[in-house]
Each structure stands twice: as C-alpha cells, then as structure tokens.
Amino acid sequence: MDTTIILLDRAHFAFNIIFHYLFPQLTMGLAALILLFKSMALWKHDEAYNRAARFWIKIFAINFVFGVVTGIPMEFLFGTNWAEFSRRTGGVIGSLLAMEGLFAFLMESAFLGLLLFAEQRLGPRGHWFAAFMVCFGTWLSGFFILATNAWMQHPVAYTVSSDGVYSLNSLWGLLTNPWLFWQYLHNMNATLITASFVVTAVGAYYLLAGKHLESARLFIRNGVMVATIATILQIFPFGHGEARQVFLHQPIKAAAMEGIFQTQKGAPLIILGQPNMHTETLDNPLVIPYLDSLMMTGKLDGELQGLDDFPKEDWPDAVPLVFYSFHAMVILGMLFASIMLLSAWLLWRKQLFESRWMLWVLMLSAPLPYFATIAGWMTTEIGRQPWLVYGLMRTVEGASPHVSSGNVLFTLLGFVLLYMLMGLLFLMLVLRLINIGPATIENNS
Amino acid sequence: METLWFIIIGVLLTLFVVLDGFDFGTGIIYPWVAKNNTERRTVLSAIGPIWDGNEVWLIIGGGVLFFAFPTAYASIFSGYYLALMLLLWLLMFRGLSMELRSQLPNPLWHSFWDALLVIGSVSITLVLGVALGNVLRGVPLEADGFFFLPLWTDFMTGEYPGILDWYTLLTGAFAIVLFSVHGANFIALKTEQAIQQRARHIARKGNYLIALFMLVLPLATHIVQPFFIQNYSVYSIGVLLPILAGAALLAMFVTRSKENDLYAFAASAAFMVLLLLSVAFSIYPNMLIATTHSMHNLTIYNTATSEYALRTGIIWFSIGAPLAVVYTLYMYRSFRGKVVLSDDEEGY
C-alpha cells in the first residue's frame, strides 16, 4: 500500500479525534465538578453552590452537544478509513464500542435532559442524583474508549486465526487489561485538571473584570483546591505509573519519548534537547544525571535500552515528534503543579483574590491543559507507530483497500472546514455565556 | 448464534428508524406546520429532549455490527465512503441546528438554524432511504469482500451501479414521504390547535402517497432482486410480515380518519417496523448482496466474529439492553404529554 494514503488516513483520524476530544475532555472533568458543587450545596445548604452548578451545567450542555455531534463520526471512521483494521480487529474492540453506546450514551442523554430541565421537578436530592448519573455516564464512556485504546497499545484476551483475524477469548480480560489501570487514572485525572483550570480561569476573569464577585471567589476556591490535588497526583503516581508501563512493555516508544538513542547504564533524565535523526544523537541536551535510570529501574546505574537496540523498521516514523510532544506534556504538567501550588498558598494566606498578576496567570492558563492532553495523546499514538495494534498489526496493513487517497484528502478537508466553523461557533456561544455570567442567568429565570 | 445477532441488529436499526424517523420527519414538515417563532419553539420542544437519545440507537446498531460482523462493517462503511461522509456532516449540522437555535435571541439566527434543520432532515432521510435501496439492490462486491461505490453512474441498476440510481432514488423519495407522515403523526400527538391541525392535514395527504408507493415499490424491488421471493417460498410463514404491514397501512388510514393521534402514531410506527422486518426477512442470511457474483455475497456466516465473542456478547447485551430501554422509557415519560412552552431561557 502506498505511503501517501496511509499518511492521509492517519492525518484524517488524528484531526478528527483531536478535535472531538477537546469537548469530552472538558465534559468528563466538568461533570465531576458539577457533582462536587451539587454535593456541597446539599451538605452545606449553601445556595451559592447551586447557582454555580446551574451556571456550569449550561456551559456543560453546549460542550456536550459539540461532543456528541463530533463524536458520531468517530465510530464510523474506523470502518470508512480503516476497513482492513476493522475487519481484523472488530471482533475484539467492536464489543467495547457497542457497550459504550448501550451502557453509557443513553444514560448520559437521559440524565442530562433531567439535569438541564428538571431541577424544580426533581428536588435537591433528585437533581443531585441526575448530576451523579451524568458524571457516572461520561466516566463510563471514557472507560470503554480507553479500553479500546489500551487493547491497541497492549493487546490481551484475543485469539488469532490463520488469516490474521482477531477474536475475543475473554471479555473480562479485555475489560481488565492491565494497561488500562494507569492509562485510565492518568487520562481521567487530566480531564479534572482541564475542568478545574477552566473553572478557575472564569473566576479569575470575573475578579479581574470586577463582576460576579461572589461566584468568582467560589469558582476559584474550588477550582484551585481540585487542581492542586489533581496536578500533583498527575505527576506522581499517575504520570510516573504510565511512563513506567511504557518503559516495561513498549521500550522503543520509551526510548523515543526520552530521547535515548544509545543503550546506557545510569541514563540521565533529559529535560530538553533536539533529536538529530541523521547522526542519531540528541543535540544540545540539558540533563539531570542518572535520574531517568533511577525513575524507571529504581537503581542509579540501571540499564535503559536505547533506540539502537532495535531494528529501524520498528522505530516510530517520527521520533522527534514523539520526543517533543512527550517533553511538552511533562513541562506543562510541572508548570501546572507550580501554578496551582502557588495559588493554593496565596489562597491560604488570603491574598489570591487581590493578586492581580496571579489572576492573570490563572485566566490565561485555561487553554494549557488542552495542549498538554493533545501532546500526551500524540506521544501515546505516534509513539505506537509503526504498529496499529502493538506488536500484532502494522499501520500500513490497516487502511481501507478501495478508498483512494483523493477521497481521503477531500473528506479530510471537508472536516477541517466544518470543524473550523464549528470551533468558532462554539467559542462564540461559550464566551457569550461566560460574559452573561451566573448572576444574570439567575435573574432571568 | 449468527442468526440471533442478525435479528438483534435488525431490531436496533429498526428502533433507530422508528424513533429517529419521527424527529427527522418533524424536521421535514417543520416549515409547514410551524409558522411563527412560538410555534417553531413548540415543535422543537417536542423533539428537542429526545432526538439525541433516538440517535444513540444508530450508534449502538453500528457498534453491534462492528462487533458481531466485523467484515460486513468494514466492507459497508468503506464502500459507501462518500455517502457516509455526507451523512455524517449532515447529522452534525442537524444536531447543532436544534440545540443552538435557542442560544441567541435573534430572528436571523433563528431563521438560519431553521433552514439548516429542514435541509439536514430532508437530506438525511433521502440518504437513509437510498441506503436501504442500496442494501436491497446489492453492490459490486469484489473477491476480497470490499467494494467502492461512486455517487452515481448512469442511474441504472446492474452489475456496476452507483449509490444513486432509479431504484434507490425511489426508495429515498419513499423514505421522505414515510418519515414526514410519521413525524406529522408525532407532532399531532404532541401539540394542539393550529399546529396539530396542520400536522393532521399533512398526515392525511401523506397516507395516500405512501399507499401509492406501496403499489410501485414491491414490484420495483422484484425487478431489481427477483430472488427475494425465495425466502418467502421456503419459510411461508414470512408472508405474514408484508400482509401485516399492509394491515398497518390500512390502520394508518382508519386511525387518521378518526383523528386518533395516538393510534395513528402507533400505526405508522408498526408499519415501519413490519416493513423493515419484511426487508430483513427477504435478504436473510445475506448482509450485503453482490451484484457481481452471488459467490461474493457477504452473509452472516462469512462475516461473523468468533463463536465465543458472539456468546459472551449475549451476556452483556442482555444486561445492557433492558437498561437502555429503561432509560429510554424514563426519558419519554419525563417529557410525556402535550408540549408546554416555558418562558425562561431554558428549552428550545
């Protein structure tokens, strides 16, 4: 199969999934925060939390709609552009997608309707329950999708026929794929970070603009609290746990991520550098000696395999991209923890609401968790290359045999155009809601 | 076991057509039943809270097809590449049109999304009808189990047809009429006064058109696929399905003449169910018929996954399906009765 079409098919899926995931990334985290607000309202009998919940439910609803409409294509794109992959692996991963629809989607859409339109009718406890079910539904949905990805990273519970068709031999094994544990925690915690950064940023904006002050303080207090815990957990143990499992099971990806070209004992942790694919070295490295070996093997002089230990045809086709996206994610993760620790300290000293410079930082940080998440997924997915299913099926084998590259390019451009328009529309509607603010929404209804 | 999953997929897709069918239909007749902003909001409030749940049945159906018959899923989705992409884009904008219309209090904004809703609903219905026509007519499957269809060729059926030909256009037009009537029955049930009267009028006229199509379509199908008659002669009990479908059509006329909206809606739903069951009965055990050579037909046997997966599938499906039905019923129950517009910012 010619390489143009594989590249186009990859770009097609990558673009669609990245754009789609911008929305669930917020909905999953925000659902948890809305549940937190509803719980606090019940527990403390504080109407301010209900107002906060009502405001964020509105933002949630718009976000959810965009997530649904950009999500519908995802299930179809396996079949349209990756037909050979679907034919050979559908017997395993198809069941996860079917279960997602059956168990999660209807739950989400049913209870979101209640969350949006039935607060009066349900009463405080009923409304809390609706928030709980929406949160549960979105996190369940995330579970099935991550289980699908986990199988592509670390295939388990399958048998293979002589003509290369995979079929399931243990449903339980598929759902408890060991890969899933750290991946689920790492990814779901990232959604919490995203949502708490967004909630904090809106609060910071209100304080800076001098409006909706009471809501603003509530958003910041809760946002900073959740974000501080989540950003620290994200580094240790979640991020560390996921990196270690990559090191154990996907050593080539680990070497590309860390920028280790030569197998070595006592490998340093590389903070920055430039992979040079001609000389197969890392140029201008900025390092902390021994740290990488220590973190991955537990010993200062532990041996780490470099890319040179593996045949070139098993290397990811874009080693620098894997290296840069991994490092972008890690550096952003460190930055998040620093910002939130500082904010938490200022909050504790009762200085945060007056520190305008810090509020500016918090407001402008809102998009950063999105970048970090995209970078993390690029590391995972581009690092998985040249495999489509790790160690079993190469990406070049997976594309639709009868769909030509022109058709793929045409529909990719179609999606780009549509999503550009939809992105603008989304920003316009959400910014408008933020601008109207929680208090005004309250007065109108 | 394969047969059981064939039936499950049939049921899931039938559910999708019957449920989403009335909200597509509502989108088609929208400008004719709702003339001003209040009326339009009323009509949108009737389908607003449930369209998303209705569409989930398509996703579930697609997922189950992917899981149970991966080869058929792969072949169908890549073969109808262009039509499917078109369908996806339309589905996206139609979904947005209902949800975003109420976001700004601006008449131009409303008109824009109204127009998108109508265009989206009509085109999606056409594509769905054409898709059904394609399944009945068959596609040029090659020896590797794949195919790729152009949007159209010379509009004739035959060995190498396009997605659009005279037959699939006929089924597409039929789908538009059928969904319109089904949608009109639903709107008549959910609204009062002027909107209800207009919806009833559309349903009454539409019934005649459906009857007209039913005179032509079986004949046309027989010309395109003469072997469909086989299953009916082997298992003669199957003849009941089209007969019952005919009875449901009759019931559509009777209930409409008595202006019993609930029974009329039930009758059009029953008609659609029986029609699709007749279709499924005719093509069984094929998933996709080859126009090239019957050896290339994709059947439930040469496309199914392993016996183990199909068997464990029954376990999770029998846990999930009742839950899904409960959520659906609960959702419909919470929004039961005639639509009452609220004046606050919530709603449609």
Side-chain angles (χ1 to χ4, degrees):
Chain A
M1 183 149 299
D2 78 299
T3 45
T4 321
I5 186 152
I6 293 294
L7 268 182
L8 284 172
D9 276 325
R10 281 173 61 187
H12 196 288
F13 201 89
F15 175 74
N16 271 288
I17 194 80
I18 288 175
F19 189 81
H20 164 63
Y21 190 62
L22 293 175
F23 303 104
Q25 185 186 346
L26 184 66
T27 40
M28 290 189 286
L30 198 51
L33 285 179
I34 289 168
L35 182 61
L36 173 76
F37 291 151
K38 292 303 296 181
S39 308
M40 295 293 277
L42 264 188
W43 182 36
K44 302 221 161 169
H45 301 288
D46 186 348
E47 194 47 29
Y49 279 105
N50 270 330
R51 272 199 295 280
R54 254 169 249 142
F55 173 71
W56 285 105
I57 287 169
K58 280 184 197 302
I59 307 257
F60 180 93
I62 295 188
N63 209 70
F64 189 85
V65 169
F66 278 83
V68 168
V69 297
T70 57
I72 293 172
M74 294 317 310
E75 191 191 55
F76 293 75
L77 293 180
F78 288 108
T80 52
N81 290 43
W82 298 95
E84 186 58 20
F85 165 68
S86 307
R87 184 179 79 79
R88 287 172 54 183
T89 65
V92 181
I93 60 171
S95 52
L96 294 168
L97 297 179
M99 278 191 264
E100 184 193 20
L102 205 56
F103 287 101
F105 284 159
L106 276 171
M107 187 197 288
E108 288 172 52
S109 71
F111 286 97
L112 180 62
L114 294 175
L115 193 64
L116 271 170
F117 302 125
E119 186 176 354
Q120 297 297 327
R121 192 138 39 92
L122 293 171
R125 276 166 207 285
H127 201 232
W128 178 89
F129 183 69
F132 173 81
M133 290 303 276
V134 167
C135 183
F136 182 63
T138 56
W139 283 55
L140 189 62
S141 187
F143 175 82
F144 287 120
I145 292 305
L146 286 172
T148 307
N149 184 264
W151 191 79
M152 293 165 71
Q153 299 288 346
H154 185 68
V156 292
Y158 65 88
T159 48
V160 58
S161 69
S162 54
D163 54 346
V165 172
Y166 297 90
S167 47
L168 189 64
N169 69 12
S170 160
L171 181 64
W172 182 247
L174 182 65
L175 292 175
T176 55
N177 186 344
W179 192 270
L180 200 47
F181 181 75
W182 288 115
Q183 196 182 22
Y184 189 70
L185 290 174
H186 189 56
N187 186 72
M188 298 316 284
N189 193 47
T191 70
L192 274 180
I193 294 177
T194 307
S196 53
F197 266 69
V198 168
V199 169
T200 311
V202 171
Y205 162 66
Y206 287 155
L207 281 191
L208 287 170
K211 51 188 191 183
H212 317 301
L213 301 179
E214 190 205 0
S215 301
R217 294 196 189 98
L218 188 147
F219 293 172
I220 293 179
R221 268 200 317 274
N222 289 275
V224 168
M225 190 183 72
V226 173
T228 308
I229 300 169
T231 50
I232 292 170
L233 288 177
Q234 192 70 339
I235 297 168
F236 190 87
F238 301 157
H240 176 71
E242 177 144 19
R244 254 190 75 90
Q245 87 179 6
V246 171
F247 166 76
L248 289 174
H249 298 286
Q250 301 181 333
I252 311 178
K253 185 199 276 183
M257 275 160 56
E258 307 273 8
I260 298 173
F261 283 93
Q262 279 85 29
T263 299
Q264 51 195 290
K265 289 185 173 175
L269 184 75
I270 291 148
I271 297 171
L272 275 179
Q274 291 143 294
N276 184 330
M277 295 313 287
H278 292 292
T279 57
E280 293 175 11
T281 51
L282 193 77
D283 294 347
N284 315 318
L286 196 66
V287 302
I288 303 176
Y290 301 110
L291 190 55
D292 202 9
S293 280
L294 181 67
M295 290 203 306
M296 290 301 131
T297 64
K299 289 195 288 281
L300 275 182
D301 62 345
E303 185 176 271
L304 293 192
Q305 280 183 297
L307 284 169
D308 64 353
D309 250 15
F310 305 97
K312 271 231 169 101
E313 75 257 23
D314 288 350
W315 292 16
D317 55 357
V319 171
L321 190 52
V322 178
F323 175 86
Y324 288 128
S325 21
F326 175 66
H327 281 77
M329 176 193 71
V330 171
I331 290 169
L332 282 169
M334 298 288 169
L335 181 70
F336 297 161
S338 321
I339 292 176
M340 282 304 162
L341 278 171
L342 186 58
S343 305
W345 185 68
L346 287 172
L347 191 65
W348 184 58
R349 296 282 306 271
K350 302 202 187 318
Q351 290 170 357
L352 181 58
F353 298 143
E354 281 74 43
S355 317
R356 289 186 71 85
W357 62 275
M358 194 67 216
L359 293 174
W360 269 100
V361 170
L362 288 175
M363 180 173 81
L364 296 178
S365 299
L368 298 182
Y370 290 96
F371 300 156
T373 303
I374 293 171
W377 275 107
M378 281 171 69
T379 311
T380 310
E381 298 298 282
I382 299 167
R384 193 191 61 224
Q385 306 300 329
W387 301 103
L388 186 43
V389 182
Y390 200 82
L392 295 182
M393 181 180 186
R394 284 177 186 264
T395 308
V396 288
E397 301 169 58
S400 301
H402 293 208
V403 178
S404 61
S405 48
N407 280 317
V408 176
L409 185 56
F410 167 66
T411 58
L412 171 59
L413 293 176
F415 272 109
V416 169
L417 188 72
L418 283 185
Y419 282 174
M420 262 166 46
L421 291 173
M422 277 172 52
L424 286 174
L425 199 61
F426 173 79
L427 282 179
M428 183 187 102
L429 292 170
V430 167
L431 292 179
R432 176 178 165 271
L433 267 186
I434 291 175
N435 215 24
I436 293 174
T440 325
I441 288 175
E442 200 67 11
N443 292 339
N444 284 353
S445 57
Chain B
M1 196 49 83
E2 287 89 353
T3 305
L4 183 57
W5 282 101
F6 179 83
I7 295 170
I8 289 177
I9 291 175
V11 169
L12 289 172
L13 292 180
T14 303
L15 262 175
F16 160 69
V17 170
V18 171
L19 292 177
D20 224 13
F22 70 72
D23 68 60
F24 288 135
T26 302
I28 300 172
I29 61 171
Y30 181 66
W32 288 278
V33 289
K35 302 287 187 185
N36 58 42
N37 192 37
T38 318
E39 290 182 353
R40 289 188 178 172
R41 282 185 54 209
T42 309
V43 171
L44 284 177
S45 302
I47 56 170
I50 44 182
W51 74 268
D52 172 31
N54 292 343
E55 218 147 290
V56 170
W57 293 102
L58 173 68
I59 303 293
I60 299 177
V64 171
L65 179 67
F66 190 7
F67 139 79
F69 304 102
T71 307
Y73 167 89
S75 177
I76 292 170
F77 282 41
S78 63
Y80 290 122
Y81 193 80
L82 295 171
L84 259 171
M85 292 292 170
L86 213 62
L87 177 68
L88 292 175
W89 295 341
L90 291 167
L91 278 173
M92 281 197 266
F93 268 95
R94 180 176 176 277
L96 288 180
S97 67
M98 285 177 282
E99 298 296 328
L100 300 189
R101 184 187 188 276
S102 64
Q103 292 282 337
L104 292 185
N106 179 330
L108 292 180
W109 175 265
H110 292 168
S111 306
F112 173 73
W113 292 111
D114 286 345
L116 266 187
L117 174 64
V118 180
I119 294 168
S121 302
V122 173
S123 342
I124 292 169
T125 308
L126 181 72
V127 173
L128 289 175
V130 167
L132 183 69
N134 270 271
V135 170
L136 291 170
R137 179 208 59 205
V139 296
L141 279 163
E142 294 179 23
D144 62 358
F146 288 108
F147 66 98
F148 188 87
L149 272 185
L151 278 176
W152 60 79
T153 52
D154 55 359
F155 292 96
M156 298 306 284
T157 59
E159 202 176 340
Y160 289 98
I163 290 171
L164 299 177
D165 61 29
W166 67 267
Y167 176 71
T168 60
L169 281 173
L170 195 65
T171 54
F174 175 61
I176 293 178
V177 175
L178 183 58
F179 281 11
S180 302
V181 171
H182 192 43
N185 283 338
F186 178 73
I187 289 303
L189 179 64
K190 296 290 283 184
T191 58
E192 291 167 312
Q193 293 163 354
I195 309 177
Q196 189 182 38
Q197 293 310 322
R198 293 187 204 117
R200 284 175 169 172
H201 181 72
I202 290 174
R204 214 174 299 124
K205 292 276 143 73
N207 279 344
Y208 289 102
L209 271 178
I210 293 178
L212 196 65
F213 268 105
M214 286 323 287
L215 293 178
V216 181
L217 266 180
L219 198 67
T221 309
H222 185 66
I223 293 171
V224 174
Q225 284 299 3
F227 86 89
F228 278 170
I229 216 85
Q230 258 178 33
N231 272 350
Y232 289 101
S233 51
V234 179
Y235 314 98
S236 49
I237 185 97
V239 182
L240 270 179
L241 291 170
I243 291 177
L244 284 173
L249 180 60
L250 204 63
M252 284 166 70
F253 278 97
V254 174
T255 51
R256 188 40 69 205
S257 73
K258 291 185 177 155
E259 301 294 19
N260 188 328
D261 297 315
L262 182 62
Y263 288 157
F265 179 67
S268 57
F271 175 65
M272 291 162 83
V273 169
L274 289 160
L275 206 59
L276 288 170
L277 288 181
S278 315
V279 167
F281 184 81
S282 315
I283 65 171
Y284 176 85
N286 296 297
M287 298 292 288
L288 200 56
I289 296 159
T291 51
T292 42
H293 194 289
S294 61
M295 253 170 57
H296 297 165
N297 282 0
L298 294 181
T299 68
I300 58 172
Y301 303 109
N302 65 18
T303 62
T305 185
S306 71
E307 183 70 15
Y308 171 83
L310 291 181
R311 260 189 295 118
T312 42
I314 293 295
I315 300 172
W316 56 254
F317 189 82
S318 48
I319 301 169
L323 272 176
V325 171
V326 168
Y327 295 141
T328 307
L329 289 178
Y330 186 54
M331 196 162 65
Y332 276 84
R333 220 184 92 86
S334 349
F335 298 102
R336 69 187 177 277
K338 302 274 180 193
V339 173
V340 184
L341 271 194
S342 60
D343 284 330
D344 58 25
E345 256 201 286
E346 319 280 336
Y348 291 82

